[in-house]
Amino acid sequence: MKKWTVIFIVAAICLTGGTWWIYFSQQEVSAQSHILSDQVFKADFSRSINSDALKNEEVYVTDHYGDKVKPDYKLKNNGKSIEISGLSEGDYTLYVGKRKHTFQVHESIPTVKSRKELEEYFKLVMSTRENIVTEATDEMAMEESSKSDSANHSTTNNQVEGVEEADIVQTNGSHVFMISENNIIINDIENATNMKLESKIQFTDSFYPSQLLLKDETLLVIGQKNIYHTLESRDTESRIEPAWESMTSVFLYDISDPTSPKLIRELASEGYMNGVRLKENVLYIVSTIMPRYWMMKENKDIELRPFTYDSKVNKEAQPLDYKQISILPNSLDGNYTVITTLDISEPIENEAKTKSFLGGSQDLYMSTENLYLTSAIYKEEGANTSRKMVWGPGKLDTVVYKFSLKETTVDFVGTATLQGTILNQFSMDEHDGYFRTVTTTGDLWDERNPSENNLFILDEDMKMVGSITGLAKEERIYSARFMGDKAYMVTFRETDPLFVIDVANPTKPQVLGELKIPGFSNYLHPLGESHLIGFGYETSSVVPVGSKEPIIQTEGIKISLFDVSDFGNPKEVDTEVIGGQGTYSPIVYDHHALFEHSEKNLFGFPVIIYEKKEGQEYSSYKQDGAIIYEITPEKGIVLKADLLNKVNQAQQYEEWGTMIHRLIYSDNSIYTIGMKEMKSYHMDTFKETGVLSY
């Protein structure tokens, strides 16, 4: 009898409170090694624990001297993770039974001190990704709209006034600079009736230009440069196969003489371009790179640091110094974000500065004071780690990193983890020191975890001060726009709800109004303070053959004019639908494709039109070119110019060379720009005045 009593007691101990040492001996702990003093330390467990483990001090933290400290503990995720706050600067160890994890709390973000520290970081990254299939994140999508400047010519459609964005076309009023395949074409447009090809910059197949910036007499050509080389190893007995490396490169040209542009400098940073911005004279280049840390498993002494190149300093790319690398708090991303800055007021003489942060980036938003980068993190349900994922049952959240910008100096400020995912740069904004963003949580088609949408407001220190959650259940965000103390958000599944949200009081945001209409807007553009223009698609409800349930399908390009002067009662006051199913325009995914002449209230964009012919079941190609509208609150949406290319009856698809990719204006002329051809039109009559092929 005594024997069975002892067995029963032991079994009871094993089943209560997680107090038995065997339980903790099988426990795995995953956590970051560095955090800031104002951040929360987070750890994930392979097995759940409960509050008894904290009470019994089976889970505790010690300081540098081995003494137990008493911070604030919070169990999360049904006991599979813990959050610890209230720790001052110093070295600490988290004990979970006999398992332990050492970490450091810093007043400011630390730099990497050695190769050994990098190796330890990447070993931790690999341990959290064992047997997990991951996919690279998509390149970032593409920011208050810029008005025409004092010069009488087009400017790029920028999100933030004073922060220039790159595009495939730039103009200074007298010349047009454009990307055409691997070339930069420079055309003289001083005489719209006699345009001339001024010069051409040709690149090799190893460089692919994708964006341009123009500042005074300096043209910046930005793109990806592929370098083929053998990866270095200090292990002479192991052979490492040659590989392609991609670098985000910027070529700076002196265009004081447009007939003979001169290359004056080249900058490059390893990885794929996330974004490029120009504020006053300072250039900011952001790229993301995943080093080959998995090769450490094969005992290959691979270089783990990102490479950079500056033609002023070196003849070839060099790895960054360790002191230029920092590990972002709570980051187990495994990717580098590389930020390079250069004051281009003296493009040859000024020093380029580069910093690299372990913590990858996806979307980019930049105000005149700060840079915000986002990274999606995947929390697998029931797992003990956070991973970047795009599949499987789990939860996608977003980490936002904030950096201050003071001329060419970039400093890390703080970070926040937000529920859900951020769509693009227009889902973010900074106003009066507050960061505002909207996110989507859940899955549009998952009944167990249905989607819903949220708005979050953070203060200067990235602390949450206000939020609205649970908006538009079973829908997701298609577009958003922040305008001062108002936020506008379009969600969609079967209809297009436009939400008007008051964010004047950061601690108490509130939904003021909602409008439901067919279709949806991918991009919202402000028209004064009381109207919005939406660019997106019309939709229809169709019951497929053999089915009883209707489906929603897209139709033609839709322009909507919204009156939001009555915040509680937004209205769609006018619409225009172009073409049928299959009709396409770059405006739905790239806001730079929007042509705007604010003084004349003109708005235009390239378009490829598909329509159903009589007797056809599906739409077919009809025509391509560009369309310009006059859009005003008083008159609504009025067609002003049909700049469509002439129809060739034998043509079944759009032709890349003659397709219009951008529209610009200079003085009293409008120019349509394609890969191989540019046309000019009179601003008032819209009659063609010139053609230039190149």
Side-chain angles (χ1 to χ4, degrees):
M1 185 69 180
K2 291 182 179 179
K3 177 181 178 182
W4 287 106
T5 301
V6 172
I7 293 174
F8 176 79
I9 292 171
V10 171
I13 292 174
C14 289
L15 294 172
T16 58
T19 58
W20 194 236
W21 70 270
I22 293 176
Y23 181 88
F24 281 106
S25 69
Q26 298 174 349
Q27 181 74 270
E28 296 293 336
V29 181
S30 176
Q32 177 60 282
S33 299
H34 302 272
I35 65 166
L36 297 182
S37 56
D38 61 348
Q39 300 292 320
V40 175
F41 174 80
K42 300 177 182 179
D44 294 313
F45 309 134
S46 59
R47 296 184 172 211
S48 296
I49 65 172
N50 61 29
S51 57
D52 288 341
L54 296 174
K55 293 177 183 177
N56 298 331
E57 294 190 343
E58 291 155 339
V59 176
Y60 60 93
V61 173
T62 63
D63 61 17
H64 175 72
Y65 302 102
D67 298 328
K68 290 182 180 180
V69 296
K70 294 184 178 181
D72 295 324
Y73 297 95
K74 287 185 180 180
L75 290 175
K76 299 285 187 177
N77 192 25
N78 296 320
K80 285 204 171 183
S81 62
I82 193 170
E83 293 183 356
I84 304 173
S85 58
L87 295 171
S88 58
E89 185 176 16
D91 299 334
Y92 296 91
T93 302
L94 169 67
Y95 286 87
V96 184
K98 290 190 176 182
R99 299 287 183 181
K100 64 180 182 179
H101 176 82
T102 59
F103 64 97
Q104 294 177 315
V105 178
H106 307 270
E107 288 296 328
S108 59
I109 186 171
T111 58
V112 172
K113 297 179 177 61
S114 65
R115 176 184 175 84
K116 182 180 179 182
E117 188 175 343
L118 268 187
E119 289 177 341
E120 289 176 351
Y121 170 84
F122 286 117
K123 285 177 182 178
L124 179 59
V125 170
M126 286 191 291
S127 71
T128 67
R129 299 189 176 192
E130 286 292 328
N131 302 318
I132 297 295
V133 178
T134 62
E135 295 187 18
T137 57
D138 291 335
E139 288 189 15
M140 320 312 47
M142 297 252 136
E143 276 193 347
E144 246 138 280
S145 165
S146 67
K147 306 278 191 299
S148 304
D149 56 22
S150 57
N152 189 23
H153 60 76
S154 290
T155 57
T156 304
N157 180 24
N158 302 310
Q159 180 182 6
V160 178
E161 188 173 355
V163 179
E164 290 292 320
E165 301 178 32
D167 194 18
I168 60 174
V169 172
Q170 297 287 342
T171 184
N172 57 9
S174 63
H175 290 79
V176 171
F177 307 84
M178 72 190 75
I179 296 173
S180 178
E181 297 178 335
N182 268 39
N183 306 309
I184 307 301
I185 306 297
I186 303 176
N187 290 336
D188 182 345
I189 60 168
E190 288 193 286
N191 184 345
T193 62
N194 185 28
M195 299 176 290
K196 296 181 292 185
L197 172 62
E198 199 85 285
S199 59
K200 180 189 295 185
I201 303 172
Q202 295 180 298
F203 293 98
T204 65
D205 290 339
S206 65
F207 177 71
Y208 300 89
S210 60
Q211 296 186 6
L212 303 174
L213 277 168
L214 184 62
K215 180 67 174 180
D216 300 328
E217 295 183 339
T218 302
L219 176 69
L220 296 90
V221 183
I222 308 129
Q224 294 300 134
K225 186 175 184 179
N226 292 326
I227 301 173
Y228 189 69
H229 66 94
T230 301
L231 299 174
E232 294 183 2
S233 172
R234 288 177 290 198
D235 182 358
T236 57
E237 295 182 359
S238 57
R239 174 180 172 77
I240 300 180
E241 296 299 324
W244 283 100
E245 295 290 346
S246 184
M247 302 192 79
T248 297
S249 296
V250 180
F251 292 86
L252 289 82
Y253 285 88
D254 179 349
I255 51 150
S256 54
D257 179 4
T259 64
S260 181
K262 291 181 173 58
L263 178 64
I264 55 177
R265 195 168 181 178
E266 179 188 354
L267 298 176
S269 55
E270 189 176 6
Y272 291 93
M273 179 173 55
N274 186 340
V276 178
R277 297 291 187 270
L278 182 64
K279 187 187 72 170
E280 297 176 345
N281 289 315
V282 181
L283 174 69
Y284 300 88
I285 311 163
V286 182
S287 64
T288 300
I289 175 67
M290 176 182 285
R292 290 178 170 82
Y293 57 80
W294 58 87
M295 298 183 76
M296 291 193 301
K297 281 187 173 183
E298 303 173 21
N299 297 318
K300 292 175 179 176
D301 193 9
I302 191 71
E303 178 59 73
L304 296 171
R305 293 171 292 172
F307 282 76
T308 62
Y309 171 71
D310 183 352
S311 61
K312 175 187 174 183
V313 179
N314 300 108
K315 292 184 178 180
E316 57 185 29
Q318 301 292 325
L320 283 176
D321 192 290
Y322 288 107
K323 66 183 180 182
Q324 294 174 277
I325 302 172
S326 300
I327 301 176
L328 292 172
N330 296 321
S331 168
L332 286 176
D333 185 278
N335 294 335
Y336 283 103
T337 292
V338 183
I339 304 176
T340 300
T341 62
L342 175 68
D343 184 340
I344 62 171
S345 60
E346 296 289 342
I348 300 177
E349 301 301 326
N350 287 337
E351 176 190 3
K353 298 180 181 180
T354 300
K355 286 186 178 181
S356 182
F357 302 89
L358 277 163
S361 55
Q362 292 172 287
D363 288 308
L364 178 156
Y365 167 79
M366 182 172 153
S367 69
T368 56
E369 304 294 332
N370 298 292
L371 172 69
Y372 298 86
L373 300 174
T374 73
S375 180
I377 56 171
Y378 180 89
K379 174 78 71 173
E380 187 180 9
E381 292 181 353
N384 67 322
T385 55
S386 296
R387 310 176 179 94
K388 184 178 292 185
M389 302 280 288
V390 293
W391 60 270
K395 181 182 178 184
L396 270 173
D397 290 332
T398 301
V399 179
V400 181
Y401 301 109
K402 177 181 178 179
F403 303 85
S404 67
L405 307 174
K406 295 178 181 177
E407 297 181 342
T408 58
T409 300
V410 178
D411 288 320
F412 176 76
V413 174
T415 181
T417 300
L418 304 176
Q419 295 178 6
T421 56
I422 293 176
L423 177 64
N424 57 29
Q425 66 184 55
F426 286 99
S427 294
M428 297 180 280
D429 176 77
E430 183 187 273
H431 183 68
D432 290 341
Y434 291 95
F435 175 73
R436 298 98 62 91
T437 186
V438 289
T439 72
T440 297
T441 57
D443 190 330
L444 193 64
W445 308 108
D446 188 349
E447 294 180 356
R448 297 169 300 175
N449 183 30
S451 61
E452 55 185 43
N453 304 281
N454 320 287
L455 178 141
F456 300 112
I457 302 178
L458 290 78
D459 65 13
E460 292 182 343
D461 298 320
M462 299 299 282
K463 302 293 186 184
M464 184 85 69
V465 296
S467 65
I468 302 174
T469 59
L471 292 173
K473 294 183 183 294
E474 299 185 355
E475 298 179 359
R476 74 168 178 86
I477 295 170
Y478 272 67
S479 59
R481 193 83 193 216
F482 290 87
M483 294 167 57
D485 59 5
K486 297 294 183 295
Y488 303 94
M489 182 177 76
V490 169
T491 62
F492 181 76
R493 181 167 181 171
E494 294 183 357
T495 57
D496 174 354
L498 170 69
F499 290 91
V500 180
I501 306 173
D502 184 357
V503 289
N505 183 345
T507 64
K508 293 182 180 180
Q510 59 178 325
V511 176
L512 299 180
E514 178 183 348
L515 170 67
K516 289 193 174 185
I517 53 175
F520 57 86
S521 298
N522 293 96
Y523 171 62
L524 295 174
H525 191 80
L527 182 65
E529 297 182 356
S530 61
H531 288 76
L532 283 170
I533 308 171
F535 298 93
Y537 285 100
E538 179 69 303
T539 59
S540 62
S541 178
V542 178
V543 179
V545 177
S547 174
K548 295 181 180 180
E549 296 296 326
I551 62 170
I552 303 299
Q553 67 180 24
T554 59
E555 299 294 341
I557 296 291
K558 181 182 180 181
I559 309 172
S560 298
L561 178 59
F562 299 107
D563 183 344
V564 292
S565 55
D566 181 354
F567 299 125
N569 185 30
K571 298 177 181 178
E572 185 182 48
V573 293
D574 200 3
T575 63
E576 177 81 3
V577 178
I578 305 164
Q581 191 175 30
T583 299
Y584 164 83
S585 171
I587 188 64
V588 300
Y589 74 89
D590 184 357
H591 60 284
H592 300 126
L594 179 66
F595 165 88
E596 179 181 6
H597 194 301
S598 56
E599 292 181 4
K600 294 182 177 289
N601 302 308
L602 297 178
F603 298 86
F605 50 87
V607 66
I608 300 130
I609 299 175
Y610 278 69
E611 285 185 351
K612 286 183 182 178
K613 296 179 181 178
E614 188 174 350
Q616 279 188 335
E617 184 178 356
Y618 301 103
S619 298
S620 59
Y621 169 80
K622 178 184 178 183
Q623 208 170 2
D624 64 76
I627 299 179
I628 297 176
Y629 294 90
E630 179 186 20
I631 305 179
T632 61
E634 299 78 19
K635 297 180 181 179
I637 305 169
V638 179
L639 178 65
K640 297 296 289 186
D642 172 346
L643 307 182
L644 298 171
N645 293 320
K646 294 179 180 179
V647 178
N648 181 346
Q649 298 299 329
Q651 186 177 338
Q652 295 183 335
Y653 304 99
E654 57 271 18
E655 293 182 359
W656 181 254
T658 57
M659 274 175 53
I660 295 173
H661 295 273
R662 291 292 186 269
L663 296 86
I664 64 167
Y665 75 87
S666 179
D667 293 328
N668 205 36
S669 293
I670 293 174
Y671 301 86
T672 60
I673 300 167
M675 290 293 108
K676 302 293 183 183
E677 182 180 79
M678 187 168 73
K679 293 182 179 180
S680 60
Y681 298 84
H682 194 278
M683 180 77 74
D684 298 322
T685 64
F686 300 102
K687 291 185 177 180
E688 184 179 312
T689 56
V691 179
L692 175 63
S693 298
Y694 36 83

